[in-house]
Amino acid sequence: MTSTKQNGEVRIGYFVCHCGHNIGATIDVLKVADVIKNLPGVVISREYKYMCSDPGQEMIQEDIKEHNLNRIVVAACSPLLHENTFRRATEKAGINQYYFHMVNIRENASWVHVDKAEATRKAIDLSRAAIQRVFFHQALEKKQVSINPNVLVVGGGISGIHAALTLAKAGKKVYLVERDPTIGGLMAKFDKTFPTLDCAACILTPKMTEVKNHPNIELMTYSEVEKVSGFVGQYKATIKRKPRYIKEDVCVGCLDCIDACIYKDGKYYDEFNVGLSKRKPVYIPFPQATPQLVVFDPEACVRLKRGKCKETCVEKCDRDAIDFDQKEKFEEIEIGSVIVATGFQIFDAKKIPYYGYGKYQNVYNALEIERLVNSSGPTGGQVVMRNGEVPKKIGIIHCVGSRDEKTNIWCSRVCCTYSVKLAHLLKELSGADVYNFYIDMRTPGKGQEEFYNQVMREGVHFIRGRVAEVTDWAAEKEEQGKLIIRVEDTLIGVVRRIPVDMVVLGVGVEPHSDADKIRRLFNISCSTEGFYLEKHPKLAPFDTASDGVYIAGGCQGPKDITDAVAQAGAAAAEALALIDKGFIEMEPNTAFISEDNCSGCKSCIPLCPYTAISFDEEVFKAKINEVLCKGCGTCVAACPSAAIDQNLFTNDQIYNEIDGLLKYEIV
Amino acid sequence: MELKSQNDTWKPRIVAFFCNWCTYTAADLAGVSRIKHEPNVRVIRVMCSGRVDPQFVIDAFVKGADGVLIGGCHIGDCHYIDGNHKTIRRFAMLKRILKDMGIEDERFRLEWISASEGEKVKTVTNDMVEKLEKLGPLGLPKKFIAWDEEMNHLELEISKPKEEIEHV
Ligand code: FES
């Protein structure tokens, strides 16, 4: 031992797990148990097939009692998985749970190494380090902090709406923040939803109204989260409220100002119709927008741009609701937990130039088609192309920006089924001949394969092959004036040229281009592709590494409405479980100062990201506020007099780990 | 299984400090995804890379490590806001000290590995092992013994009677 600060007689029980074959096949568990048995302090050293099973845990508890153990080391899987299981078992046997330490020989060794002798040696080293470490363990108590029951939901798409409503119905106050002028998200743009073809607006708008009217929901649209501080149970967030130039509490949504605008026709890109129509500088995104408030676009409105205008809108508004002097406002809210449901964006088809999006006017992306077939869309549901004609032949290309090394490698999960849906709708509305070009048809989920079969029976053509290009270069007479889809039909092994009038690109989904901003605010990790990372891919897909921050919907990965809603409900339930417990137990891994050693140099004070360290001028010593300390240990590493230490990660513990790791000679 | 081959086939020993939130999780992910890599790294889990006291690094070398690796969250992603900024500063300072002590650059490494970069755990580990294998052992403990012997020898020389020295 490198230090002599031991507490009492140390009696260690060491337990190493085979985890079936998971560890046992690569690591010689018997050998490990044998070597560790001879280390100082070790009273008992055992191996067992499944340490985490009930008999395994009982064995530990019995040994604790029988052999009077006061330290427990378990070598098994990752502490991130089972540390709590064994801590509880330790506590049950009557000793403080922090006398337990876990050694990771599965994720860190048996699963990643091939050489058995080396993996075994590593398991021994890691175990020896733990044995030396636990000499310095101390009894600690978990701290309890209260929890603010209010919840912040970021994103007002279907996931955010569902999560907010669930929480509100359970009696919790919810702040729902949406950056667009209306909630509804992508779903509000759809006409019908697959595979049941129910009308998106009919199922969504009642939920939107419910959000608006629910007394527990404070709806903050046209707003963004600017800053977040605090920690689980006690977060503070600053919300930026962008000016609509409308007094929200006065405007009744009569829309008279839109009619009165000096622009007689729309002139600006209409976000809601993804550019298929134009809107005026003052607009409402769509008729059922929630809240029913108009917005002035500062980039377009003459009054806002130049400071001068006839202001016919102001004249018309008999409620005096227009206010051109509105400024950005910042509001601070206090919440205990957060649900992030910021959704995804669609792939920009311009990135694949050989499909001609942006070059040929009759090449559309799927979202544009959603608007085009929508009865409340720019054409009132008529399938009329940009050139004013009704298409007779339509080609739908799947996997645009999905399953492609050059763009996005993942399957976007929804494109096959929405392409089938669009094929059905386009055929129904225009009577056109519709061709779908797919690599593989992927229609998992309830009722989806059935839907695909149904559409096939309706006479939609399905051709297997990745489309090589879309061109207007005609090889024959009948191709003239058409878009030609060049594809290898891999089922018959023939390269085909299929002339069509309209091309629809089944674009994939990807993380928002600014997803990083929100991610950083809430300290969420992301996967390599940029989707937010869940705590566990199977068992906690709604949870994140930040306690009290949950994720739902498309921001976590490609999802259809069904799954997004299910995940939102799960995230809300998790938040409720947290809130209704009433308090949070914190790991007691805070730092503390030994006054005798503190020289009063103040080097630690500016290091603390939570301003937990203050300086007591009277005694000329630094002090750590235990409530504010989050246990990162940065100050500990910096103290020149070694006067600061951190519970659970003390200097003694770490130095002895280092020592134990490198004492090869014992073997 | 024969384990006695420690010294006849030398293998680099690397002590790694991984922060709980990113790199340790990434190593777990490498495990779950069965991404095989060299078995030379021994991980010590800390809450943040900012917890790594420069003395830990020196201590590891002194006790016989051939290399030390620190793994933390990418800049901007630290679970404790900016703990890893402090790691960078300490890293730069330590690099200078280690250089003065004659410890080669490749032996001390700092890597940002996020929770989703299981693959990077492998690339970094394998690359570091390969470089250390080329460098050979650092073997400070052995050198200490040699230096101690040298010192003893010198002390012995000094403590010899004065005349003898003059005689020499
Ligand atoms: S928590 Fe990973 S570097 Fe700070």
Side-chain angles (χ1 to χ4, degrees):
Chain A
M1 299 307 104
T2 49
S3 166
T4 50
K5 209 172 73 190
Q6 302 171 11
N7 30 4
E9 191 212 350
V10 170
R11 299 178 61 81
I12 305 170
Y14 175 76
F15 303 86
V16 50
C17 179
H18 292 254
C19 194
H21 287 302
N22 284 308
I23 294 172
T26 319
I27 290 172
D28 184 348
V29 173
L30 299 182
K31 168 100 199 172
V32 176
D34 220 44
V35 172
I36 300 301
K37 193 169 71 205
N38 298 320
L39 295 181
V42 177
V43 176
I44 190 155
S45 172
R46 280 188 202 275
E47 35 77 36
Y48 189 68
K49 268 254 163 294
Y50 288 104
M51 230 43 244
C52 62
S53 67
D54 280 349
Q57 293 187 48
E58 271 155 31
M59 184 170 96
I60 299 176
Q61 290 168 28
E62 270 157 35
D63 277 342
I64 292 178
K65 288 180 193 140
E66 195 183 321
H67 299 280
N68 218 353
L69 304 176
N70 55 20
R71 300 288 190 283
I72 303 300
V73 174
V74 172
C77 52
S78 167
L80 304 186
L81 202 64
H82 268 314
E83 187 170 55
N84 275 327
T85 313
F86 293 114
R87 276 184 178 172
R88 270 198 303 270
T90 310
E91 189 101 6
K92 262 200 202 149
I95 59 174
N96 187 282
Q97 57 176 315
Y98 293 101
Y99 283 129
F100 164 78
H101 190 69
M102 188 143 185
V103 188
N104 181 348
I105 58 167
R106 193 179 73 175
E107 283 82 345
N108 265 353
S110 69
W111 274 354
V112 287
H113 305 320
V114 197
D115 184 324
K116 291 183 180 171
E118 281 298 326
T120 305
R121 187 175 300 151
K122 182 163 173 178
I124 292 171
D125 289 343
L126 292 171
S127 299
R128 190 191 309 107
I131 297 291
Q132 294 199 186
R133 184 189 213 273
V134 289
F135 270 83
F136 300 88
H137 276 216
Q138 254 145 4
L140 298 167
E141 292 307 325
K142 282 198 168 152
K143 281 180 305 178
Q144 289 190 351
V145 286
S146 65
I147 176 159
N148 182 325
N150 301 346
V151 187
L152 165 65
V153 176
V154 191
I158 182 61
S159 311
I161 289 176
H162 187 75
L165 281 174
T166 309
L167 291 161
K169 281 184 201 151
K172 308 298 173 221
K173 160 123 195 157
V174 180
Y175 296 94
L176 177 57
V177 175
E178 165 59 49
R179 67 171 161 188
D180 284 343
T182 172
I183 55 170
L186 271 177
M187 187 179 169
K189 295 189 165 81
F190 303 161
D191 181 44
K192 300 264 163 39
T193 55
F194 64 73
T196 44
L197 293 177
D198 38 357
C199 138
C202 315
I203 53 178
L204 177 66
T205 42
K207 285 188 95 128
M208 289 163 60
T209 321
E210 207 182 338
V211 165
K212 178 77 190 85
N213 295 334
H214 204 292
N216 287 341
I217 300 181
E218 187 165 336
L219 183 56
M220 301 169 121
T221 52
Y222 214 35
S223 304
E224 282 171 39
V225 183
E226 264 307 285
K227 219 178 95 193
V228 181
S229 62
F231 50 93
V232 54
Q234 313 282 344
Y235 284 111
K236 268 201 189 90
T238 311
I239 314 292
K240 176 167 95 185
R241 315 287 311 257
K242 294 178 275 190
R244 289 172 194 267
Y245 305 102
I246 274 286
K247 295 177 198 142
E248 299 195 6
D249 41 350
V250 182
C251 172
V252 285
C254 68
L255 312 185
D256 282 351
C257 51
I258 302 182
D259 283 339
C261 178
I262 54 161
Y263 284 98
K264 286 296 151 249
D265 295 304
K267 194 171 170 250
Y268 297 94
Y269 183 93
D270 182 343
E271 295 85 354
F272 192 73
N273 281 331
V274 281
L276 291 182
S277 64
K278 301 270 188 240
R279 60 155 172 80
K280 294 183 181 181
V282 52
Y283 65 101
I284 185 152
F286 63 106
Q288 297 98 325
T290 308
Q292 278 280 312
L293 293 171
V294 299
V295 195
F296 282 85
D297 177 355
E299 309 279 295
C301 171
V302 176
R303 167 64 177 77
L304 287 168
K305 268 196 313 196
R306 306 209 195 106
K308 238 179 34 211
C309 175
K310 278 203 269 172
E311 297 189 13
T312 40
C313 52
V314 179
E315 234 166 74
K316 185 79 187 192
C317 182
D318 47 18
R319 300 182 64 89
D320 228 351
I322 301 172
D323 175 7
F324 287 119
D325 297 326
Q326 250 179 21
K327 296 260 140 31
E328 225 170 53
K329 270 190 305 196
F330 292 89
E331 263 172 57
E332 196 157 278
I333 58 170
E334 286 180 11
I335 61 263
S337 50
V338 182
I339 294 177
V340 178
T342 46
F344 48 53
Q345 68 181 31
I346 60 163
F347 173 77
D348 177 7
K350 284 207 185 95
K351 289 187 190 153
I352 307 183
Y354 44 88
Y355 285 167
Y357 183 78
K359 181 172 165 205
Y360 308 124
Q361 60 168 350
N362 291 337
V363 177
Y364 291 81
N365 72 29
L367 198 55
E368 290 164 342
I369 298 299
E370 293 282 359
R371 294 309 301 149
L372 204 61
V373 297
N374 197 310
S375 50
S376 63
T379 56
Q382 303 292 319
V383 184
V384 186
M385 298 186 295
R386 290 191 178 101
N387 63 5
E389 286 170 23
V390 176
K392 292 192 199 63
K393 228 168 151 188
I394 303 171
I396 303 179
I397 303 175
H398 293 214
C399 297
V400 178
S402 299
R403 307 180 64 201
D404 177 4
E405 291 283 339
K406 288 190 226 92
T407 54
N408 295 331
I409 55 166
W410 58 89
C411 166
S412 293
R413 202 179 164 313
V414 288
C415 329
C416 275
T417 350
Y418 82 53
S419 296
V420 169
K421 174 192 77 178
L422 291 178
H424 165 88
L425 294 174
L426 286 167
K427 193 173 171 62
E428 188 180 66
L429 293 169
S430 68
D433 226 7
V434 183
Y435 289 78
N436 275 48
F437 302 89
Y438 65 97
I439 310 176
D440 299 291
M441 277 308 287
R442 295 189 168 175
T443 52
K446 196 172 175 179
Q448 301 205 10
E449 182 72 10
E450 293 90 321
F451 178 56
Y452 165 40
N453 286 328
Q454 176 202 325
V455 174
M456 219 168 358
R457 278 196 301 273
E458 286 169 7
V460 170
H461 310 279
F462 287 86
I463 295 176
R464 201 184 82 176
R466 191 188 270 273
V467 170
E469 94 176 307
V470 174
T471 172
D472 62 352
W473 181 80
E476 292 164 42
K477 198 110 184 263
E478 61 261 31
E479 287 183 357
Q480 247 148 39
K482 304 260 179 197
L483 293 166
I484 298 100
I485 295 176
R486 290 206 316 123
V487 62
E488 183 192 352
D489 186 332
T490 55
L491 290 180
I492 51 173
V494 172
V495 178
R496 298 175 68 175
R497 292 172 63 88
I498 297 176
V500 295
D501 305 305
M502 177 192 228
V503 171
V504 180
L505 303 179
V507 286
V509 301
E510 58 187 20
H512 276 297
S513 48
D514 54 355
D516 240 27
K517 195 185 141 210
I518 293 287
R519 183 174 80 72
R520 293 241 149 98
L521 279 176
F522 295 103
N523 225 317
I524 312 172
S525 307
C526 67
S527 51
T528 6
E529 56 271 30
F531 289 112
Y532 297 159
L533 195 69
E534 61 284 336
K535 195 167 188 174
H536 191 282
K538 292 176 190 69
L539 303 180
F542 37 71
D543 212 343
T544 69
S546 286
D547 289 336
V549 178
Y550 306 97
I551 43 178
C555 61
Q556 184 249 351
K559 241 173 233 81
D560 60 11
I561 295 167
T562 316
D563 288 0
V565 169
Q567 198 184 18
E574 281 302 303
L576 284 175
L578 177 85
I579 298 166
D580 283 351
K581 193 175 175 199
F583 60 86
I584 299 150
E585 287 193 324
M586 306 280 266
E587 273 283 274
N589 56 8
T590 45
F592 56 93
I593 295 181
S594 111
E595 280 218 355
D596 293 347
N597 296 342
C598 176
S599 66
C601 73
K602 297 188 190 173
S603 17
C604 53
I605 293 172
L607 287 181
C608 181
Y610 304 100
T611 56
I613 316 181
S614 58
F615 195 72
D616 187 339
E617 291 290 348
E618 237 159 70
V619 284
F620 212 69
K621 309 250 178 229
K623 269 208 167 82
I624 293 177
N625 180 340
E626 232 205 316
V627 180
L628 293 179
C629 172
K630 297 275 118 23
C632 64
T634 302
C635 57
V636 190
C639 178
S641 347
I644 316 183
D645 216 336
Q646 180 189 12
N647 282 321
L648 284 179
F649 296 89
T650 65
N651 285 329
D652 281 337
Q653 288 167 359
I654 295 177
Y655 280 124
N656 278 282
E657 257 185 277
I658 299 173
D659 191 64
L661 283 182
L662 294 165
K663 257 192 200 157
Y664 284 43
E665 288 69 30
I666 284 184
V667 178
Chain B
M1 248 176 251
E2 187 44 59
L3 293 171
K4 287 258 276 297
S5 54
Q6 290 293 345
N7 294 319
D8 36 57
T9 52
W10 169 83
K11 297 235 167 57
R13 317 163 169 196
I14 300 170
V15 172
F17 298 93
F18 284 176
C19 89
N20 182 62
W21 303 100
C22 282
T23 314
Y24 194 85
T25 317
D28 267 11
L29 179 66
V32 174
S33 327
R34 313 293 199 278
I35 302 175
K36 307 284 182 212
H37 52 266
E38 295 290 344
N40 311 51
V41 172
R42 309 284 187 261
V43 178
I44 293 178
R45 181 166 70 110
V46 285
M47 292 314 279
C48 174
S49 67
R51 173 67 182 95
V52 181
D53 190 324
Q55 286 194 47
F56 293 169
V57 178
I58 308 242
D59 195 59
F61 280 124
V62 167
K63 297 258 171 64
D66 297 299
V68 175
L69 169 65
I70 301 178
C73 313
H74 287 268
I75 290 301
D77 285 355
C78 172
H79 194 75
Y80 305 97
I81 305 172
D82 56 1
N84 47 8
H85 286 254
K86 288 135 201 174
T87 314
I88 301 185
R89 290 211 297 264
R90 287 177 196 145
F91 178 74
M93 175 196 80
L94 258 170
K95 272 260 164 184
R96 280 214 302 274
I97 299 177
L98 292 176
K99 193 172 164 217
D100 289 346
M101 288 161 67
I103 294 176
E104 295 90 338
D105 204 51
E106 289 92 333
R107 295 198 188 272
F108 182 39
R109 189 154 166 171
L110 171 62
E111 290 286 346
W112 307 136
I113 304 177
S114 83
S116 64
E117 295 176 315
E119 191 68 29
K120 194 169 174 188
V121 173
K122 174 186 114 179
T123 21
V124 167
T125 304
N126 288 358
D127 182 68
M128 190 160 178
V129 170
E130 194 190 315
K131 288 190 171 131
L132 293 188
E133 268 169 356
K134 277 194 200 123
L135 278 180
L138 176 62
L140 279 189
K142 268 197 197 136
K143 283 183 193 155
F144 283 138
I145 296 173
W147 290 333
D148 281 349
E149 271 167 15
E150 203 179 314
M151 282 305 287
N152 285 343
H153 187 72
L154 284 176
E155 268 169 34
L156 217 71
E157 290 280 302
I158 295 166
S159 58
K160 275 182 191 158
K162 225 179 175 183
E163 310 84 70
E164 257 180 70
I165 297 174
E166 272 169 358
H167 190 76
V168 175

